[in-house]
Amino acid sequence: MDEQRSDSGEGERAHRPEGGSRALGADVAHAARAIRYGGLVLMPTETVYGLAADAGNALAVAAVYEAKGRPSFNPLIAHVADVAMARRIARFDDRAEALARAFWPGPLTLVLPVADEQAVCDLARAGLDTVAVRAPGHPLAQALIEAVGGPVVAPSANRSGRPSPTTYADAVEETGSATAAALDGGACRIGLESTVVALLDQPRLLRPGAVTRAQIEAVIGTLAEAEADAKRSPGRLTRHYAPNAPVRLDASEPADGEAWLSFGPSGTGPFNLSPRGDLAEAAANLFAYLRAADRTAPSGIAIAPIPDEGLGEAINDRLKRAAGFVG
């Protein structure tokens, strides 16, 4: 919130994660202190690992953008401990209250009119008059935010455009060198970023995720399409979640030199997203398998068709962005 936090936090930066240190990762108090003094922290959530910073500290938010190589026009999500904290930074209506009751803590982000422009700084909101907010379900994330005492931004802890890290080791590999502390929460349970819904006029689904369109519509009614408010959502860049190798979608089999991400009982190879054809399992494996396939230095990555229903809508959204097909 004030610039003194950044200046007085240099001592914390000596504590950098090396080799996946679980002793450091377990120290929530140390991680919260690092955030309060302007440092960055690797934070596990139920979706993916986040690169956390004080949402109100513009210098810390700038450090997040720098560590990720992320364009500043892409807004960040403010993570809160509970609905009470969310109401301090965003203006809730009846629809927001209903969705928070139904799905928080959990993988649902709400885009709402901002209520406190200092608690979530202009840079974190990409200059918008709205704020994206969610209450994560991971106990370490909840403990960290409560210890900080205010909202933290925590975009996925990957370099911008790369697959999101769903394990502690991958998070450290991606952006660990930029952090003052790290929390090791094991493998992420969901492995796919949160669903994002804008509640500004008509409710709009800006980004599909583990909370499905059908589940949301059962609570607040029909969702409009995203185009009008797409700029207000994280993860809306055309080429996003991308490995180094080019991605080929809806493939029937791999070409020579391609790594193969298969799906279902008839799938072959080491990177079968779900041998049982389970979409939740496929979502949990998606980014880790994209990373693992990319490490084999293939000429490309071929991906089998994924059913475009339920959670499959979110999986296909991420795959299209990895291939550079949507904006």
Side-chain angles (χ1 to χ4, degrees):
M1 308 201 170
D2 58 43
E3 294 188 2
Q4 290 182 339
R5 291 186 176 184
S6 180
D7 294 337
S8 59
E10 291 300 317
E12 299 291 340
R13 286 200 175 276
H15 302 281
R16 300 242 176 132
E18 295 180 5
S21 169
R22 292 178 182 271
L24 177 62
D27 192 349
V28 172
H30 169 76
R33 187 167 59 250
I35 287 179
R36 288 196 298 270
Y37 283 102
L40 309 186
V41 170
L42 292 178
M43 181 182 82
T45 77
E46 73 279 25
T47 57
V48 300
Y49 272 79
L51 188 60
D54 181 348
N57 185 333
L59 292 178
V61 173
V64 171
Y65 284 126
E66 182 179 14
K68 285 178 62 64
R70 183 183 181 125
S72 60
F73 55 78
N74 203 3
L76 305 180
I77 295 171
H79 293 68
V80 296
D82 50 32
V83 177
M85 186 181 290
R87 291 192 193 107
R88 296 203 296 268
I89 65 173
R91 296 202 296 271
F92 272 61
D93 60 13
D94 291 344
R95 301 168 303 178
E97 295 284 356
L99 288 174
R101 282 195 303 271
F103 301 112
W104 279 7
L108 176 66
T109 293
L110 302 177
V111 176
L112 301 167
V114 65
D116 185 344
E117 295 183 357
Q118 302 303 313
V120 184
C121 67
D122 185 73
L123 184 61
R125 292 181 285 106
L128 299 170
D129 58 359
T130 56
V131 62
V133 59
R134 91 171 179 102
H138 196 291
L140 277 179
Q142 292 174 346
L144 176 60
I145 298 166
E146 288 174 0
V148 170
V152 302
V153 295
S156 55
N158 53 290
R159 293 285 298 171
S160 187
R162 294 272 297 154
S164 302
T166 56
T167 67
Y168 180 75
D170 281 344
V172 170
E173 179 184 356
E174 282 284 322
T175 54
S177 63
T179 62
L183 297 173
D184 184 352
C188 297
R189 176 175 57 86
I190 293 174
L192 199 69
E193 293 88 348
S194 62
T195 305
V196 180
V197 173
L199 298 173
L200 304 175
D201 41 36
Q202 291 179 288
R204 298 180 187 276
L205 180 64
L206 302 191
R207 183 176 73 182
V211 179
T212 66
R213 181 189 297 268
Q215 290 175 309
I216 296 164
E217 290 183 337
V219 176
I220 62 168
T222 302
L223 290 167
E225 293 308 311
E227 285 74 10
D229 290 312
K231 69 178 183 179
R232 299 183 184 273
S233 175
R236 298 294 300 181
L237 297 181
T238 300
R239 185 163 172 78
H240 207 73
Y241 316 112
N244 292 318
V247 172
R248 184 165 64 92
L249 305 180
D250 296 324
S252 57
E253 61 183 4
D256 289 344
E258 285 185 324
W260 176 228
L261 265 64
S262 60
F263 176 80
S266 60
T268 59
F271 306 125
N272 189 333
L273 291 169
S274 174
R276 343 176 258 205
D278 180 84
L279 291 171
E281 182 180 26
N285 287 332
L286 178 61
F287 290 131
Y289 282 16
L290 274 173
R291 287 176 171 276
D294 204 34
R295 290 189 184 111
T296 68
S299 61
I301 301 175
I303 302 177
I306 305 295
D308 198 33
E309 59 189 31
L311 192 52
E313 181 183 12
I315 295 171
N316 283 312
D317 173 80
R318 303 314 192 273
L319 288 175
K320 288 174 184 175
R321 294 182 191 284
F325 288 162
V326 291

